[in-house]
Amino acid sequence: MRKILFLGLLVLAGAALAQPKVFKGTEIGRPGGAYRITSISDPRTWNPFVARETSSTDIISLFLPYLTSYDPYTQAPEGRLAKSWEIRNNGLTVIFRLREGARWSDGRPITADDVIFSATVHADQRVNSNARSSFILDGQPIRWTKVDQYTVRADFPKPYAPALIQGWYIVPQHIFEPAYRAGVQQLQALWNLDTPPAQIVSGGPFRIDSYVKGERVVLVRNPNYWGVDERNNPVAYLERYTVQIVPDLNAQLARFLAGDSDVFAAANADQVAQVLERIRAGRLRAEIFPNVDVTLGTNFIVFNWNHKDPFKENLFRQVKFRRAMAHLMDKKSMIEVALGGLGQPQWSPISIPNKAFFTDDVAKYEFNPQRAQQLLAELGFRTKNRDGWLVNAQGRVLEFNLTTNQGNNVRERIAQIFRDEARKIGVKVEYRPIDFNELVRQLTSPAADGTREFDAILIGLTGGIEPAFSRNVWELDGSLHMWNLGVGGKRPAKVESFEVLIDTLMKRGATTLDQAQRRQIYVQFQKVVAENLPIIYTVAPAYNPARLTRLGGMFPKEQINSITGQAPYIETVFAKE
Amino acid sequence: MFGYVVRRLLQLVPTFFGATLLAFLVIQLAPGDFVTRLELDPTQDRESIANLRQQLGLDQPLPVQYAKWLSGIFQGYLGLSLSYKTDVWSVIGQRILNSMVLVVLATLMIYLIAIPIGVYSAIHKYTWPDRIFTVLAFLGLAIPNFFFGLIMLFLAVWLNDLTDMRILPIGGMTNEFLHLGNMTRAAQWLFPFALGGTLIYAALFWSRSRRGQTPTFGVWLGLVLFGVSSLLMLAPLLQGPGLPERLPYTESPLWARITNVLWHAFPVVIVVGTSGLAGLMRVMRGQMLDVLSQDYIRTARAKGLSERVVVYKHALRNAVIPFIAGIGGLLPGLIGGAGLVEVTMAWPGITPALLEAISAIDVYVIMGLITITTVLLMVGNVISDLLLAWVDPRIRYS
């Protein structure tokens, strides 16, 4: 009886859905089955206005809709809840049309009111949503207004290239508005982890079924979802989506080896070997793709151009010095030792997987200690003192401290390899790992006179697909312009000409709408950075995904990439058995 | 005695303030705060970072923050978790209970095994069994728990491969689905043995008491173990056949959930228990040797008492005094969790939550845990002192 009712509901939902989104999977799948993954930590909340970490947003993205996203095949913008869009006013206005007939899991329609309400709350300064930066462009607000029940309009203060990427979560207004009216605190208390799952309304492919703290989150298919496959069958195919919380990477590996989780990303060569061995022994029906791509994360060394010691400040500002340091990076050893043989050298700020903008045609200062020595000699460091350290004519030893955050094994090893090579030619590098928060403080908090205390820091940033979202790093007044940081949101006191060029390129890149022109701009940006090395990139860790063969709808090896992952959409993944 | 208790309880007040203030300061001394890690996110601008600090009250002076927190404590409110945006108790409550499962079982295992082995080793010192126990004890002390936990995981994978069955769990505390059918069949198969064991031990118990002898420790243990097992199996025997083969954990009956948790706890308890076991075994052996060399033991032997009576009535009772006094000290340990094993074996206890809170500098979660631990430690100490006075007639508080 329950089954018949359920099927009836499905038919009703299908009939009501006038404009479904067609999810083009790699193959037509069959409904049913479960998908199990592991996560390193618990979600913190189900409330998209509170969520700040991927352990929460990875789950929220399964049950809350958003307007647009990237096409997993072309990485161009693609409509999700937005069926189509229209660009007007030379790009200053974008009109999004929503899918008519889309419904929340409680049966209410998803309309422009939900979208506008969500935009208002995300943009509210008091709420401090993590998505707030999507509503401000250079200090001016992006205005969202309702046109009719299924049309919304966004007005930008200036043309904005990523205007079509609107990935903030849309919430049901009928649930969030009363709380929002009552105050920000009530809003933030909504949909916390103690909220009964039945009260959490879904507008995405799944809805929360149960959550056991520290153990697992179970999501089940949302029959009201507005997606279909190419044959007009409703998706998601999967009936059940389980996130098991396993706080240790080795324990996650054990789960995968035991066949208890469906996908896994091996962190190093050792884990790859364990998976391979088990597949060969016939104990695990799985596939692994070692080194199929690199991750978006970066690791780089940055020198402090606001040093209180004028000698060091001057030294770090010399491009010859930075090139010499780049020549001291034995990236081959770094890949061998720090990354276990799986990874690629990185030369420029855009991550290798970001095919739309990445270029390999940049200046590469490859490992070459003789060349480094020569460059340092040109800077005046010609002789060595009694202890074997390079000194200049005034007798100043060429020395600096290098720090990285404690506990990050990859960075610690990269730093050690760099130090050892530098010491071989007489550069006195003292390496010392410190606490992450202290590292961030040294990097981002200049003293009142604008000076900072560190010499060099090895750190990383998580890259993204959209270069404009890293403007805080590259624009002169950015809060993460970390080699040469201004005080109080202003430009740094002394800037080099190439920094101004980078600033201009970033600003142009963010406001140019033509895709080919944008690529040109960002290619030039990568060339300027690679040549002047305000940030010296090291190596990027490999992406080594593995999965059980029971899964269908996954990418073949050539299409796997670290941005999209192993499957184009979760909606079209299915269980073969 | 009453005056002593009141005095001790009054002393708790300044201790409490001192301990929490110190903890609060130490947390604040660490560089950075909850918002620091967001500063490295390129999509966050200065304004939202500053806003967030202000909203969370992290920009206020330390005395104000401490006073606010303290006033909450007096109303029984542990504060608001910065990352979960709910009150601290709902973040740590369930996890403390989860950890307690491990800690209680491990403590029981430690005491039940360590004391008999310690006594045995003392009586038969420098024999081969004593030497083997000593070697095992040093091994147990030397292997770090988290590492042993990882070994246990791989042992589980290996054992499951070897038998092609799920003998041991691969970490975690529960399964998503419970195989009620398997449990019922296992209960049907094991129940006759459990019932038989219970009957045999009950008969032994009865025959001893009819002869006017007190039942030995072994008889008690056998009766309790077999008796409890048969009682536990009654539920699946009665209810099991009518249930479906497989149900999600959340919809399963209580007995099935308990069985599942115990099955998952089994390898973890072994890991957690070994180091404690090894230590306690050595201490017990030393205590026992100490007592056995006392004059009154020689006197007892001289007046012709049987060795059993000498060992168990005269020596053992004095040798276990330090352990009884230590019971109060177990109280804070109950909520302190089982340590890194919980991380490596994915047990949803308090340790992973605490580590996350520390790395995120979620001040009030850390403070909440410290507060509870402090209170329990203080209460535990009082209990220990009172117990000591009770078991050891030489100690008087007045």
Side-chain angles (χ1 to χ4, degrees), chain B residues 95-253:
Chain B
R95 287 172 169 275
I96 288 177
L97 286 181
N98 292 347
S99 278
M100 268 185 169
V101 173
L102 288 187
V103 178
V104 168
L105 288 176
T107 311
L108 276 180
M109 176 187 117
I110 291 171
Y111 277 73
L112 285 182
I113 299 180
I115 293 181
I117 292 184
V119 172
Y120 178 91
S121 285
I123 301 170
H124 306 269
K125 68 173 168 177
Y126 306 135
T127 59
W128 272 108
D130 175 37
R131 279 168 216 263
I132 290 168
F133 284 131
T134 306
V135 170
L136 287 180
F138 284 130
L139 271 181
L141 282 174
I143 300 178
N145 263 352
F146 75 92
F147 182 66
F148 193 18
L150 284 177
I151 293 180
M152 194 54 119
L153 275 185
F154 281 85
L155 188 77
V157 173
W158 176 78
L159 198 66
N160 291 349
D161 281 354
L162 203 69
T163 56
D164 229 0
M165 283 192 296
R166 273 298 155 92
I167 306 273
L168 287 176
I170 315 292
M173 187 173 89
T174 59
N175 280 110
E176 189 179 351
F177 288 98
L178 304 188
H179 286 266
L180 300 177
N182 284 353
M183 286 188 197
T184 310
R185 280 187 292 279
Q188 281 163 349
W189 194 74
L190 288 172
F191 185 70
F193 297 96
L195 194 66
T198 317
L199 290 177
I200 290 170
Y201 275 100
L204 273 176
F205 194 93
W206 181 73
S207 76
R208 284 192 79 94
S209 52
R210 228 180 62 147
R211 277 182 279 148
Q213 290 167 321
T214 49
T216 61
F217 176 71
V219 172
W220 269 110
L221 190 69
L223 189 63
V224 170
L225 282 183
F226 280 106
V228 170
S229 313
S230 357
L231 281 179
L232 282 180
M233 276 181 236
L234 280 180
L237 280 180
L238 296 176
Q239 214 184 0
L243 288 169
E245 187 74 8
R246 211 170 91 119
L247 267 183
Y249 177 81
T250 39
E251 292 164 28
S252 301

Side-chain angles (χ1 to χ4, degrees), chain A residues 41-42 125-126 128 130 133 192 194 213 215-216 240 242 255 258 260 278 283 437 444 472 477 489, chain B residues 31 39-40 42-44 46 51-52 55 85-86 90 95 161 166 170 173-174 176 344 356 361:
Chain A
S41 102
D42 274 275
Q125 189 185 334
R126 294 170 305 154
N128 236 322
N130 216 31
S133 56
N192 64 42
D194 294 319
K213 282 181 190 169
E215 287 250 42
R216 74 182 67 81
R240 214 173 156 86
T242 307
R255 287 266 169 112
D260 283 352
R278 212 166 154 78
R283 289 276 174 205
N437 285 331
T444 58
N472 269 327
D477 55 358
Chain B
E39 288 180 25
L40 269 200
T43 60
Q44 298 288 319
R46 289 189 180 89
N51 263 335
L52 193 65
Q55 200 177 69
K85 291 282 189 311
T86 51
S90 77
R95 287 172 169 275
D161 281 354
R166 273 298 155 92
I170 315 292
M173 187 173 89
T174 59
E176 189 179 351
T344 50
E356 271 174 15
I361 319 200

Side-chain angles (χ1 to χ4, degrees), chain A residues 58-257:
Chain A
D58 283 352
I59 295 172
I60 291 174
S61 69
L62 294 171
F63 69 85
L64 285 185
Y66 34 91
L67 286 179
T68 57
S69 172
Y70 294 101
D71 181 307
Y73 301 97
T74 62
Q75 287 173 12
E78 164 190 72
R80 287 297 180 102
L81 185 64
K83 168 189 69 178
S84 61
W85 53 78
E86 194 182 320
I87 301 168
R88 289 190 192 161
N89 280 348
N90 296 323
L92 287 176
T93 301
V94 183
I95 295 191
F96 292 97
R97 299 231 156 65
L98 310 182
R99 288 180 201 283
E100 288 175 36
R103 283 172 187 284
W104 297 105
S105 58
D106 61 2
R108 299 260 207 135
I110 308 178
T111 65
D113 291 320
D114 294 309
V115 178
I116 299 301
F117 170 76
S118 307
T120 315
V121 181
H122 278 299
D124 188 337
Q125 189 185 334
R126 294 170 305 154
V127 175
N128 236 322
S129 153
N130 216 31
R132 184 157 183 263
S133 56
S134 306
F135 296 87
I136 300 166
L137 187 54
D138 293 336
Q140 288 167 288
I142 297 166
R143 275 201 318 280
W144 286 81
T145 40
K146 174 182 171 180
V147 178
D148 62 39
Q149 204 194 350
Y150 289 107
T151 317
V152 294
R153 166 189 172 123
D155 286 293
F156 295 81
K158 53 175 89 167
Y160 188 44
L164 292 178
I165 297 302
Q166 300 296 342
W168 37 275
Y169 299 111
I170 296 162
V171 298
Q173 184 192 17
H174 58 279
I175 293 188
F176 277 77
E177 194 174 32
Y180 183 54
R181 287 238 179 95
V184 169
Q185 252 159 25
Q186 274 80 352
L187 179 89
Q188 289 180 332
L190 222 56
W191 283 15
N192 64 42
L193 297 181
D194 294 319
T195 308
Q199 289 178 18
I200 294 178
V201 172
S202 159
F206 297 94
R207 63 176 177 78
I208 298 177
D209 177 64
S210 67
Y211 168 50
V212 188
K213 282 181 190 169
E215 287 250 42
R216 74 182 67 81
V217 185
V218 178
L219 297 112
V220 292
R221 199 175 165 278
N222 171 16
N224 278 3
Y225 188 50
W226 34 266
V228 294
D229 67 6
E230 287 164 287
R231 291 199 192 145
N232 215 21
N233 303 313
V235 291
Y237 294 133
L238 294 165
E239 186 53 47
R240 214 173 156 86
Y241 186 115
T242 307
V243 183
Q244 311 170 46
I245 292 131
V246 182
D248 182 78
L249 280 178
N250 288 307
Q252 287 192 353
L253 173 64
R255 287 266 169 112
F256 181 74
L257 292 182

Side-chain angles (χ1 to χ4, degrees), chain B residues 50-67:
Chain B
N51 263 335
L52 193 65
R53 271 220 170 88
Q54 190 205 352
Q55 200 177 69
L56 298 174
L58 295 172
D59 57 344
Q60 289 168 343
L62 286 190
V64 176
Q65 289 187 39
Y66 180 68

